[in-house]
Amino acid sequence: MDNTSSQTASNAPPDHLASDPSSEAITLQINGESKICPVGTTIPAFLTQVGLNPKLIAIEYNGEILTQALWDDTTLQNNDRLEIVTIVGGG
């Protein structure tokens, strides 16, 4: 019986992962593709993570255009859908 309980305990995640909320991730739909980011990520942080310049971006967030003034206050949630459009200048 002791052998079984030790096997069960060894299958549990290490304590530092189980108690570390930063080890959690959420799944997003970005321009139709699945992406993963840490829990608690804001829109500007996500854009930086994927290498996009926030000054040249327009975002549709779950079907609504999201003004840049709201980005810092918008924390991404599991299964959020974003359409990200890059603005290109030229003439």
Side-chain angles (χ1 to χ4, degrees):
M1 211 180 249
D2 289 335
N3 191 18
T4 304
S5 62
S6 67
Q7 286 178 348
T8 303
S10 67
N11 290 335
D15 289 337
H16 71 279
L17 291 179
S19 62
D20 182 4
S22 67
S23 67
E24 296 179 25
I26 59 172
T27 301
L28 308 170
Q29 288 294 314
I30 308 297
N31 295 346
E33 295 182 21
S34 291
K35 301 282 184 187
I36 295 174
C37 73
V39 169
T41 301
T42 61
I43 288 178
F46 179 76
L47 294 174
T48 299
Q49 289 172 13
V50 296
L52 295 172
N53 181 347
K55 293 180 181 181
L56 302 174
I57 300 292
I59 295 179
E60 180 183 290
Y61 178 73
N62 293 329
E64 303 275 335
I65 298 296
L66 190 64
T67 64
Q68 204 166 11
L70 298 175
W71 291 5
D72 286 330
D73 297 327
T74 304
T75 302
L76 297 172
Q77 304 296 318
N78 198 41
N79 297 319
D80 276 347
R81 294 178 331 277
L82 283 80
E83 292 293 325
I84 301 174
V85 178
T86 303
I87 300 166
V88 178

